[in-house]
Amino acid sequence: MSAAPAIAPEPVPGSRVGGGALPRHVAIIMDGNGRWAKKRFLPRVAGHKAGVEAVRAVTRAGRAMGIEAMTLYAFSSENWRRPEEEVSDLMGLLRIFIRSDIDELARENVRLRVIGDYRRFAPDLVKLVDDAIARTQFNTGPILAIALNYGAQAEIAAAARRLAAKAVAGELAIEAIDDAAIEHELDTRDLPPLDLLIRTSGEVRLSNFLLWQAAYAELLFVDTLWPDFDAAALAQAVATFAQRQRRYGGL
């Protein structure tokens, strides 16, 4: 399934709000685990563990609300720059999350997706991710997409390379390379267009996350540290979204 064009798309039914429609696709930059732990004089890994609990609470709340897709920025391509011990802790928590939550996701008809180059991870973790994706691939319910070793600039560059290769091979006319062609090569091609992007912890930047997809998304920056972001906070974010008027460059 190819995604709708990112540049000035026609609003789909229910996407222009003010009347209370839900966002179809919500993405979250889950920021603030370290600061949450520091405020409590705890090691950073404690903040990451609390962040995993927030993932469970927020994704369950999103499903209960009827949100069609959620994309979570779990590990960026820049996170490799963190101390080796912290990266190891994050990988360990990812293993725990998959093993402990895959039964619930499968039972609730959730389709698990991964965006990013997660095959750089350790072989056992790659297999865990592959098995989890395979187990839920035929589910028909909401989508939970996890961004692992993801960077939006690399994603767009890879899409450009694939399109260039097709053009050189004579499989694609240069004139046919448009917004839809690029979107069809992105990691998110099987997800609905992005409606709402939330960043927690008070930082006001996208940090190389869904740069193309966010072209006409509503952006919401909140001060809440990620481990404290819960079902009520998600409901408030959705209520804020419902007050926005989305004109896509029109009147």
Side-chain angles (χ1 to χ4, degrees), residues 50-61:
V52 171
E53 293 302 319
V55 167
R56 292 192 178 104
V58 170
T59 54
R60 286 168 180 164

Side-chain angles (χ1 to χ4, degrees), residues 81-124:
R81 302 171 186 168
R82 295 189 177 188
E84 184 177 347
E85 181 180 1
E86 182 169 354
V87 171
S88 178
D89 288 339
L90 289 168
M91 296 298 110
L93 288 171
L94 179 58
R95 287 182 178 90
I96 292 170
F97 176 78
I98 293 173
R99 288 172 178 147
S100 62
D101 286 50
I102 187 59
D103 286 343
E104 177 181 332
L105 297 177
R107 183 174 62 251
E108 296 200 4
N109 200 28
V110 175
R111 290 172 285 172
L112 182 65
R113 296 286 186 272
V114 172
I115 65 173
D117 183 18
Y118 69 93
R119 296 193 176 279
R120 183 178 170 185
F121 294 165
D124 71 298

Side-chain angles (χ1 to χ4, degrees), residues 17-23 237-245:
V17 285
L22 281 172
V238 169
T240 299
F241 172 87
Q243 300 304 313
R244 304 264 180 103
Q245 295 296 320

